[in-house]
Amino acid sequence: MLGLFFGKEPWFRAKRVGYGAGLPFKWQGWVTLAVYLLAMTGLALLVGNDQAIPTFVTVALMLIITGIFTIIVRNHTEGGWKWRGL
């Protein structure tokens, strides 16, 4: 099962105009996006709860998770990340 996540096949379409990735077109991309959104939502809910963890720790975790997500998306974007103009 984990072998499906470690391949180099693309999961995300490249943006038509601009730099970066568009929406996913394979289930692995949708799962990756859903896990990222759930993690960000969970951490955002912790910010409002002062007893959970300090805000700076939450923000640090958000930055780390966003960095990991960006690397995964970049490695699995069809055609890679480059500027696509009009």
Side-chain angles (χ1 to χ4, degrees), residues 31-52:
V31 168
T32 304
L33 181 60
V35 168
Y36 173 74
L37 291 174
L38 286 172
M40 290 295 112
T41 303
L43 287 171
L45 293 173
L46 286 177
V47 170
N49 185 357
D50 292 335
Q51 278 75 26

Side-chain angles (χ1 to χ4, degrees), residues 1-7 9-13 23-35 69 72 76:
M1 178 78 175
L2 284 178
L4 296 172
F5 282 99
F6 293 118
E9 71 275 354
W11 302 340
F12 297 86
R13 298 246 185 252
L23 288 174
F25 67 95
K26 294 224 176 163
W27 69 267
Q28 293 97 329
W30 286 109
V31 168
T32 304
L33 181 60
V35 168
F69 176 72
I72 291 170
H76 290 282

Side-chain angles (χ1 to χ4, degrees), residues 12-23 73 77-85:
F12 297 86
R13 298 246 185 252
K15 291 177 80 171
R16 279 187 212 184
V17 177
Y19 185 79
L23 288 174
V73 171
T77 297
E78 185 177 56
W81 282 17
K82 59 184 175 184
W83 179 258
R84 290 172 175 82

